[in-house]
Amino acid sequence: MSIVTTLAQLGYKFEPAPLEFPPFHQAVRAGNLVFTSGQIPLLGETQIKGKVGRDLTVHQAAKAAEIAAYNCLRAVGAIADIESIQRIIKVFGMVNVADNFDETPKVIDGASEFLLRALGDRGNHARSAVGMVLPYGWAVEIEMVVQVR
């Protein structure tokens, strides 16, 4: 089954992101690797902001991580055919955390589990999940390194 079809079954109508997002690009390709810029949980009318552990629950933040991971796939689509994804190499997840919140891995699980549902074995990846203050109050930000054909 195609990635686009699987994404549709998961509730996401795939559309590549615009490549240019001045003053940078959404993604850069080096050989068979695509590096995405940090993607946020903004999709249509949905935008998820706030500090996790204060304004948002882990469950809400995990959904934010899923949307940001989907946006990473859209960024890949800006520079390569989404069907050419061979593997997600690395996911770097950043979580906007309240004081003393230490469950960032559970939040970024939202991105990891989404990638496994969307890509099957190609979604297996190495990962980092860190807590910090994120700009503009976004709940999460995700970057990826993706191997393509």
Side-chain angles (χ1 to χ4, degrees), residues 80-126:
D81 179 359
I82 193 76
E83 301 298 340
S84 73
I85 292 176
Q86 291 186 298
R87 180 155 199 186
I88 305 298
I89 303 295
K90 173 78 178 192
V91 171
F92 179 54
M94 298 159 273
V95 181
N96 192 4
V97 297
D99 290 343
N100 298 316
F101 182 83
D102 66 353
E103 297 180 65
T104 56
K106 289 181 182 178
V107 171
I108 304 305
D109 283 349
S112 295
E113 291 166 0
F114 166 75
L115 291 168
L116 290 170
R117 286 192 311 272
L119 302 169
D121 287 342
R122 293 178 287 177
N124 284 315
H125 55 272

Coordinates of all heavy atoms in Angstrom, one line a residue, residues 80-126:
A80 N 11.3 15.6 -2.3 CA 11.5 14.2 -2.8 C 10.1 13.6 -2.9 O 9.1 14.0 -2.2 CB 12.4 13.4 -1.9
D81 N 9.9 12.6 -3.7 CA 8.7 11.8 -3.8 C 8.5 11.1 -2.4 O 9.3 10.3 -2.0 CB 8.8 10.8 -4.9 CG 7.5 10.0 -5.1 OD1 6.6 10.1 -4.3 OD2 7.5 9.2 -6.0
I82 N 7.4 11.3 -1.8 CA 7.1 10.7 -0.5 C 7.1 9.2 -0.6 O 7.5 8.5 0.4 CB 5.7 11.2 0.1 CG1 5.6 10.9 1.5 CG2 4.6 10.7 -0.7 CD1 6.3 11.7 2.5
E83 N 6.8 8.7 -1.7 CA 6.8 7.2 -1.9 C 8.2 6.7 -2.0 O 8.4 5.4 -1.9 CB 6.0 6.8 -3.1 CG 4.5 7.2 -3.1 CD 3.7 6.6 -2.0 OE1 4.1 5.6 -1.4 OE2 2.6 7.2 -1.7
S84 N 9.2 7.5 -2.1 CA 10.6 7.1 -2.2 C 11.3 6.9 -0.8 O 12.4 6.6 -0.7 CB 11.4 8.1 -3.0 OG 11.7 9.3 -2.3
I85 N 10.5 7.2 0.2 CA 11.1 7.0 1.6 C 11.5 5.5 1.8 O 10.7 4.6 1.6 CB 10.1 7.4 2.7 CG1 9.9 9.0 2.6 CG2 10.6 7.0 4.1 CD1 8.8 9.5 3.6
Q86 N 12.7 5.3 2.2 CA 13.2 4.0 2.5 C 13.2 3.8 4.0 O 13.0 2.6 4.4 CB 14.6 3.8 1.9 CG 14.6 3.7 0.4 CD 16.0 3.4 -0.1 OE1 16.9 4.1 0.1 NE2 16.0 2.2 -0.8
R87 N 13.5 4.8 4.7 CA 13.6 4.7 6.2 C 13.7 6.1 6.9 O 14.3 7.0 6.3 CB 14.9 3.9 6.6 CG 15.0 3.7 8.1 CD 15.8 2.5 8.4 NE 15.5 2.2 9.7 CZ 16.1 1.2 10.4 NH1 17.0 0.5 9.8 NH2 15.8 1.0 11.6
I88 N 13.1 6.1 8.0 CA 13.3 7.3 8.9 C 14.5 6.9 9.7 O 14.6 5.9 10.4 CB 12.1 7.5 9.9 CG1 10.8 7.6 9.1 CG2 12.3 8.7 10.7 CD1 10.7 8.8 8.1
I89 N 15.6 7.8 9.6 CA 16.8 7.5 10.2 C 16.8 8.0 11.7 O 17.1 7.3 12.6 CB 18.0 8.2 9.5 CG1 18.0 7.7 8.0 CG2 19.3 8.0 10.2 CD1 18.4 6.2 7.9
K90 N 16.4 9.3 11.8 CA 16.5 9.9 13.1 C 15.3 10.9 13.3 O 15.0 11.6 12.4 CB 17.8 10.7 13.2 CG 18.0 11.6 14.5 CD 18.4 10.8 15.7 CE 18.6 11.7 16.9 NZ 19.3 11.1 18.0
V91 N 14.8 10.9 14.5 CA 13.8 11.8 15.0 C 14.3 12.6 16.1 O 14.8 12.0 17.1 CB 12.5 11.1 15.3 CG1 11.5 12.1 16.0 CG2 11.8 10.4 14.1
F92 N 14.3 13.9 16.1 CA 14.7 14.8 17.2 C 13.4 15.5 17.6 O 12.9 16.3 16.9 CB 15.8 15.7 16.8 CG 16.2 16.7 17.9 CD1 16.7 16.1 19.1 CD2 16.2 18.0 17.7 CE1 17.1 17.0 20.1 CE2 16.6 18.9 18.7 CZ 17.1 18.3 19.9
G93 N 13.0 15.1 18.8 CA 11.8 15.7 19.4 C 12.0 16.7 20.5 O 12.8 16.4 21.4
M94 N 11.5 17.9 20.4 CA 11.6 18.9 21.4 C 10.2 19.2 22.0 O 9.3 19.4 21.2 CB 12.2 20.2 20.8 CG 13.6 20.0 20.2 SD 14.1 21.2 19.0 CE 13.4 20.5 17.5
V95 N 10.2 19.3 23.3 CA 8.9 19.5 24.0 C 9.0 20.8 24.8 O 9.9 21.0 25.6 CB 8.6 18.3 24.9 CG1 7.3 18.4 25.6 CG2 8.6 17.0 24.1
N96 N 8.0 21.6 24.7 CA 7.9 22.8 25.5 C 7.3 22.4 26.9 O 6.2 22.1 27.1 CB 6.9 23.8 24.8 CG 7.0 25.2 25.4 OD1 7.7 25.5 26.3 ND2 6.1 26.0 24.9
V97 N 8.2 22.3 27.9 CA 7.9 21.7 29.2 C 7.7 22.8 30.3 O 8.3 23.8 30.3 CB 9.0 20.7 29.6 CG1 9.1 19.6 28.7 CG2 10.3 21.4 29.8
A98 N 6.7 22.4 31.2 CA 6.6 23.2 32.4 C 7.7 22.7 33.4 O 8.3 21.7 33.2 CB 5.2 22.8 33.0
D99 N 7.9 23.5 34.4 CA 8.9 23.2 35.4 C 8.6 21.8 36.0 O 7.5 21.4 36.2 CB 8.8 24.2 36.6 CG 9.3 25.5 36.2 OD1 10.0 25.7 35.2 OD2 9.0 26.5 36.9
N100 N 9.7 21.0 36.1 CA 9.7 19.7 36.7 C 9.0 18.6 35.8 O 8.8 17.5 36.3 CB 9.1 19.7 38.1 CG 9.9 20.5 39.0 OD1 11.1 20.5 39.0 ND2 9.2 21.4 39.8
F101 N 8.6 18.9 34.6 CA 8.0 17.9 33.7 C 9.2 17.1 33.1 O 10.1 17.6 32.5 CB 7.2 18.5 32.6 CG 6.6 17.5 31.7 CD1 5.4 16.9 32.0 CD2 7.2 17.1 30.5 CE1 4.8 16.0 31.2 CE2 6.6 16.2 29.7 CZ 5.4 15.6 30.0
D102 N 9.1 15.8 33.3 CA 10.2 14.9 32.8 C 9.7 13.7 32.0 O 10.4 12.7 31.9 CB 11.1 14.5 34.0 CG 10.3 13.5 35.0 OD1 9.1 13.3 34.8 OD2 11.0 13.0 35.9
E103 N 8.6 13.8 31.4 CA 8.0 12.7 30.6 C 8.1 13.0 29.1 O 7.2 12.6 28.3 CB 6.6 12.4 31.0 CG 6.5 12.0 32.5 CD 5.0 11.7 32.8 OE1 4.5 10.8 32.3 OE2 4.5 12.4 33.7
T104 N 9.1 13.7 28.6 CA 9.3 14.0 27.2 C 9.2 12.8 26.3 O 8.7 12.9 25.2 CB 10.5 14.9 26.9 OG1 11.7 14.2 27.4 CG2 10.4 16.3 27.6
P105 N 9.8 11.7 26.7 CA 9.7 10.5 25.8 C 8.3 10.1 25.5 O 8.0 9.7 24.4 CB 10.5 9.4 26.6 CG 11.5 10.2 27.4 CD 10.7 11.4 27.9
K106 N 7.4 10.2 26.5 CA 6.0 9.8 26.3 C 5.4 10.7 25.3 O 4.5 10.3 24.5 CB 5.2 9.8 27.6 CG 5.6 8.7 28.6 CD 4.8 8.8 29.8 CE 5.2 7.7 30.8 NZ 4.4 7.8 32.1
V107 N 5.8 12.0 25.3 CA 5.2 13.0 24.3 C 5.7 12.6 22.9 O 4.9 12.5 22.0 CB 5.6 14.4 24.7 CG1 5.2 15.4 23.6 CG2 5.0 14.8 26.0
I108 N 7.0 12.4 22.8 CA 7.5 12.1 21.4 C 7.1 10.7 20.9 O 7.2 10.4 19.7 CB 9.0 12.4 21.4 CG1 9.3 13.8 21.9 CG2 9.6 12.1 20.0 CD1 8.6 14.9 21.1
D109 N 6.7 9.9 21.8 CA 6.1 8.6 21.4 C 5.0 8.8 20.4 O 4.7 8.0 19.5 CB 5.6 7.8 22.6 CG 6.6 7.1 23.4 OD1 7.8 7.1 22.9 OD2 6.3 6.6 24.5
G110 N 4.3 10.0 20.5 CA 3.2 10.3 19.6 C 3.7 10.3 18.2 O 3.1 9.9 17.2
A111 N 4.9 10.9 18.0 CA 5.5 11.0 16.7 C 6.0 9.6 16.2 O 5.8 9.2 15.1 CB 6.7 12.0 16.7
S112 N 6.7 8.9 17.1 CA 7.3 7.6 16.8 C 6.2 6.6 16.4 O 6.3 5.9 15.4 CB 8.1 7.0 18.0 OG 9.2 7.9 18.2
E113 N 5.1 6.5 17.2 CA 4.0 5.6 16.9 C 3.3 5.9 15.6 O 3.0 5.0 14.8 CB 3.1 5.6 18.1 CG 3.7 4.9 19.3 CD 2.9 5.1 20.6 OE1 1.9 5.8 20.6 OE2 3.4 4.7 21.7
F114 N 3.2 7.2 15.3 CA 2.6 7.6 14.1 C 3.4 7.2 12.9 O 2.9 6.7 11.9 CB 2.4 9.2 14.0 CG 2.1 9.7 12.7 CD1 0.9 9.6 12.1 CD2 3.1 10.4 12.0 CE1 0.7 10.1 10.8 CE2 2.9 10.9 10.7 CZ 1.7 10.7 10.1
L115 N 4.7 7.4 13.0 CA 5.6 7.0 11.9 C 5.6 5.5 11.7 O 5.6 5.0 10.5 CB 7.1 7.4 12.2 CG 7.2 8.9 12.1 CD1 8.6 9.3 12.7 CD2 7.1 9.5 10.7
L116 N 5.5 4.7 12.7 CA 5.3 3.2 12.6 C 4.0 2.8 11.9 O 4.0 2.0 11.0 CB 5.5 2.5 13.9 CG 6.9 2.6 14.5 CD1 6.9 2.1 15.9 CD2 7.9 1.8 13.6
R117 N 2.9 3.5 12.3 CA 1.6 3.3 11.6 C 1.7 3.7 10.2 O 1.1 3.0 9.3 CB 0.5 4.0 12.4 CG 0.1 3.4 13.7 CD -1.2 4.0 14.3 NE -1.2 5.4 14.2 CZ -0.8 6.2 15.2 NH1 -0.2 5.7 16.3 NH2 -0.9 7.6 15.1
A118 N 2.3 4.8 9.9 CA 2.3 5.3 8.5 C 3.2 4.6 7.6 O 2.9 4.4 6.4 CB 2.6 6.8 8.5
L119 N 4.4 4.1 8.1 CA 5.4 3.6 7.3 C 5.8 2.2 7.5 O 6.7 1.6 6.9 CB 6.7 4.5 7.4 CG 6.5 6.0 7.1 CD1 7.7 6.8 7.5 CD2 6.2 6.1 5.6
G120 N 5.2 1.6 8.5 CA 5.6 0.2 8.9 C 7.0 0.2 9.3 O 7.5 1.1 10.0
D121 N 7.8 -0.9 8.9 CA 9.2 -1.0 9.3 C 10.1 0.1 8.8 O 11.1 0.4 9.5 CB 9.8 -2.3 8.7 CG 9.2 -3.6 9.4 OD1 8.7 -3.4 10.5 OD2 9.3 -4.7 8.8
R122 N 9.7 0.8 7.7 CA 10.4 2.0 7.3 C 10.4 3.1 8.3 O 11.1 4.1 8.3 CB 9.9 2.5 5.9 CG 10.2 1.5 4.8 CD 9.6 2.0 3.5 NE 8.2 1.9 3.5 CZ 7.4 2.4 2.6 NH1 7.9 2.9 1.5 NH2 6.1 2.2 2.6
G123 N 9.4 3.1 9.2 CA 9.3 4.1 10.3 C 10.1 3.9 11.5 O 10.2 4.7 12.4
N124 N 10.8 2.7 11.6 CA 11.7 2.5 12.7 C 12.9 3.5 12.7 O 13.4 3.7 11.6 CB 12.3 1.1 12.7 CG 11.3 0.1 13.2 OD1 10.6 0.3 14.2 ND2 11.1 -1.0 12.5
H125 N 13.2 4.1 13.8 CA 14.2 5.2 13.8 C 15.0 5.3 15.1 O 14.5 4.8 16.1 CB 13.5 6.5 13.5 CG 12.4 6.8 14.5 ND1 11.1 6.3 14.2 CD2 12.3 7.4 15.6 CE1 10.3 6.7 15.2 NE2 11.0 7.4 16.1
A126 N 16.1 6.0 15.1 CA 16.7 6.4 16.3 C 16.0 7.7 16.7 O 15.4 8.4 15.9 CB 18.2 6.7 16.0

